[in-house]
Amino acid sequence: MDNSMTGDMEIINDIPGETAILLATYNGEKYLGEQLESLVRQSCSDFVCYIHDDASSDETVRIIEDYCTLYPQMFVFLGSSKCGGAKNNFFYLLKHVKSQYYMFCDQDDYWLEDKVERSLNNLKVLESQYGRNIPLCVYADAIITDENLNMAASSYFRKSRKDAEANSLTELLKTNVAVGCTMAFNRALRDEAIIVQNLDNIFMHDWWCVLLCSLSGKMKCIQEPLSMYRQHGDNTVGLKDRSVSGRLKKVLSWRSWRSYWKMRTERPRRFATELAAIMPKDNVNYDFLEQLALIGEKRKITRIRFYFKNDLFSSTDNKIIQLLFL
């Protein structure tokens, strides 16, 4: 998939007022049927679920086609072609589907029956307060489950030790509090999100959306869980293993540990590179983002001072280790 997001593109749908659920799949035969059933059972059915598959080699496409046949007004299959990962697959869907409201959907989760209804109601409250011409986003808590949907934790926010309301630009550069599968957002945010110079600078699609919303829009957190966030061995992104054994494995695997912290250090800088590239230079955040994007070229003492000055050290990770890899 091309790493730029420029050029003409076909728009699949443009029906005012309709909600587009964007579902990206890849070898999801084990859990996909349960997720699709949870969509069928939603209390609000005013949506269309658009599905694109990333060249699966299992029965994923057959399952999708079966549901499209059973519920042709609810599910639309956009085909199966190689995108190169979940992030690129979701960006494909964002580019090609035009609607008034959007929701990301992961193939392995399970939505509670009122998820769509409550998410849209909260989004429309924001819309009534601020209008629909600025980016708007709501995100919710989730129940953490094992691979069989047995509850492992009643709250994603508490389990991950994240402050659910920490959605300022600085906080979001450090960590993303909004899991993509819990989000609902408007057309204005989608239109900004597809303006990307280089997808390599973006860690994940959902993180990119909330960063944009923190700059020019409004966000709201729904503190109650609206979905089941399934954790299993094949999660693209999931909760970190904070157990003693999990931490020990990471320490003993130096290559993995070093790679992890290198990624953690580079991530906010690369986000800043992309944000500064598409932002007007008179924006109040431009100078900060440009400095962050270039901070890797500075001396270490300069980097440390900049991070302390701008409160860029993560509160959930060891500060000594962060200083070591800065």
Side-chain angles (χ1 to χ4, degrees), residues 240 242 260-261 264 314-320 322:
K240 291 189 293 183
R242 296 182 179 272
Y260 169 79
W261 280 104
R264 293 274 296 186
S314 170
S315 61
T316 60
D317 290 313
N318 186 294
K319 190 163 289 184
I320 294 175
Q322 293 181 71

Side-chain angles (χ1 to χ4, degrees), residues 78 181 205 222 247 256 281:
L78 303 186
C181 61
H205 56 287
I222 304 170
R247 290 173 183 268
S256 172
K281 292 187 177 181

Side-chain angles (χ1 to χ4, degrees), residues 123 126 135-139 183-185 189 210 213 218-220:
L123 186 58
L126 284 183
L136 302 172
C137 175
V138 299
Y139 58 97
M183 292 168 53
F185 54 99
L189 180 52
V210 293
C213 204
K218 299 292 181 181
M219 283 186 282
K220 178 182 179 181

